[in-house]
Amino acid sequence: MDFEKSPTTNRSDLYNIYFNTNIKLDSTLINSLMYCPLNKNVNFTVENLRKSNNALSGFILENKKVNIPEKPYTYIAEVAFKTSKSQGSETSFLEEKEIKRLLENLTCVPCKIYKPFYLDSYKPYLSNPMCIPVEDILKALDD
């Protein structure tokens, strides 16, 4: 629905993704990870997620301020652009110049909700993908 710099913090490296779903995210999925690798892999798996170095990621929060009747399940993910090294043991924030370089050849950044808990299938939960248009991300970076 929207992508903007986080209005609730003074940190310039935090952003909010506003999104809606056709299902209610119960308490087990609130505070789950929103993960958006900065590559062209729309159908990434949990294994790809663990190997990805550059991503937009953060946690999902319930959005109690937005009440749109035709879109009842609206949420916020507070995210940051990160890079990881040593198989995720070292993480740092990406600089704006590097973010723009990574977004150069993309039109959309795919995102999925990831929860490392086990359901009946004994596998972590990974949602279907949603897309954040790169033009929305670039506009927020320039604000």
Side-chain angles (χ1 to χ4, degrees):
M1 293 175 51
D2 200 10
F3 185 89
E4 68 178 10
K5 286 192 178 181
S6 179
T8 59
T9 181
N10 292 333
R11 290 184 48 187
S12 62
D13 56 358
L14 290 180
Y15 298 86
N16 284 350
I17 299 171
Y18 298 89
F19 67 99
N20 67 303
T21 71
N22 57 354
I23 59 168
K24 182 176 172 114
L25 301 182
D26 64 13
S27 60
T28 58
L29 290 176
I30 297 296
N31 295 319
S32 295
L33 182 69
M34 173 70 73
Y35 194 82
C36 315
L38 300 177
N39 60 36
K40 292 183 180 186
N41 188 358
V42 175
N43 296 314
F44 60 93
T45 64
V46 172
E47 290 76 28
N48 299 131
L49 184 142
R50 291 182 182 132
K51 294 175 185 174
S52 181
N53 292 337
N54 301 309
L56 177 64
S57 65
F59 294 96
I60 297 170
L61 311 169
E62 197 165 7
N63 187 358
K64 296 179 181 183
K65 293 181 182 177
V66 175
N67 185 8
I68 305 169
E70 65 274 11
K71 297 179 182 179
Y73 305 124
T74 304
Y75 301 90
I76 298 171
E78 190 172 69
V79 296
F81 292 92
K82 300 173 186 174
T83 188
S84 62
K85 297 175 187 161
S86 304
Q87 297 180 342
S89 63
E90 296 177 39
T91 302
S92 60
F93 295 101
L94 288 166
E95 298 290 328
E96 186 176 317
K97 186 170 118 180
E98 181 65 8
I99 296 166
K100 288 181 177 181
R101 187 191 67 72
L102 290 166
L103 296 175
E104 253 173 17
N105 298 316
L106 302 176
T107 55
C108 157
V109 173
C111 296
K112 291 185 181 183
I113 298 169
Y114 170 68
K115 181 72 173 187
F117 71 103
Y118 297 91
L119 299 171
D120 294 340
S121 65
Y122 299 103
K123 293 181 180 179
Y125 174 77
L126 194 61
S127 74
N128 290 325
M130 62 182 101
C131 173
I132 301 175
V134 168
E135 65 186 46
D136 292 352
I137 295 172
L138 293 172
K139 189 167 81 172
L141 286 172
D142 291 337
D143 281 349

